Amino acid sequence: MNPLYSPTAERADNRCEYCHAPELVFNDLFKVEHIVPVSHGGSDNTDNLALACRSCNKYKADFQTGTDPDTQTTTRLFHPRQDEWSQHFRYEEEIGEVQGRTPVGRATSDRLQMNRAAQIAARRLWMQLDLFP
Ligand SMILES: [Zn+2]
């Protein structure tokens, strides 16, 4: 386990800092993710670390940018330490989607594939369990 897992998970309230998935319903710990990837010079400092579910961690990979599907422009991804989640994303509870409010939110949602069918199905179950949002 990453030695910084506990403080990172506590700071994140055991939720993915990108899609807000609740760690409680998973059978493995979430990942301590480098916001700026190590391969791009990112450090192990806590201000460069975020808690990420396996899906967001997998699709973010070493990317720092994505494409805003509304404008087809390349933009940076959401930065959990510098950005306010609710400024960039909103829940669409009726359809179970996490939608971007801004170019950063839309590009991040798209890059991290936050609205794949499996994500939406899981989110609907979490809502039934009162674990989401
Ligand atoms: Zn996630």
Side-chain angles (χ1 to χ4, degrees):
M1 183 194 326
N2 184 312
L4 293 173
Y5 167 79
S6 291
T8 304
E10 185 173 331
R11 178 177 61 191
D13 199 22
N14 294 89
R15 286 184 175 272
C16 173
E17 295 191 70
Y18 294 97
C19 75
H20 279 188
E23 188 178 36
L24 173 69
V25 293
F26 288 79
N27 63 359
D28 201 359
L29 299 176
F30 283 177
K31 296 295 185 185
V32 176
E33 189 261 338
H34 290 86
I35 300 166
V36 175
V38 173
S39 62
H40 293 268
S43 76
D44 288 331
N45 291 340
T46 57
D47 61 358
N48 190 44
L49 301 177
L51 194 68
C53 71
R54 289 182 167 271
S55 179
C56 287
N57 188 55
K58 170 180 155 186
Y59 290 108
K60 182 173 176 286
D62 281 351
F63 291 107
Q64 293 186 275
T65 62
T67 302
D68 177 355
D70 286 5
T71 62
Q72 298 305 312
T73 55
T74 300
T75 183
R76 69 178 177 87
L77 298 180
F78 176 74
H79 192 301
R81 300 280 71 78
Q82 296 173 3
D83 295 324
E84 185 66 38
W85 195 92
S86 61
Q87 183 186 341
H88 294 284
F89 302 99
R90 65 186 162 95
Y91 304 115
E92 196 62 54
E93 291 192 35
E94 299 216 347
I95 54 176
E97 290 190 0
V98 172
Q99 296 181 338
R101 292 177 184 270
T102 63
V104 167
R106 288 189 295 270
T108 303
S109 177
D110 184 67
R111 170 67 77 196
L112 275 53
Q113 300 190 29
M114 289 183 186
N115 295 310
R116 287 178 299 111
Q119 288 274 64
I120 290 171
R123 222 171 266 136
R124 286 180 169 161
L125 289 173
W126 304 334
M127 284 190 250
Q128 289 175 13
L129 296 170
D130 234 4
L131 296 172
F132 190 91

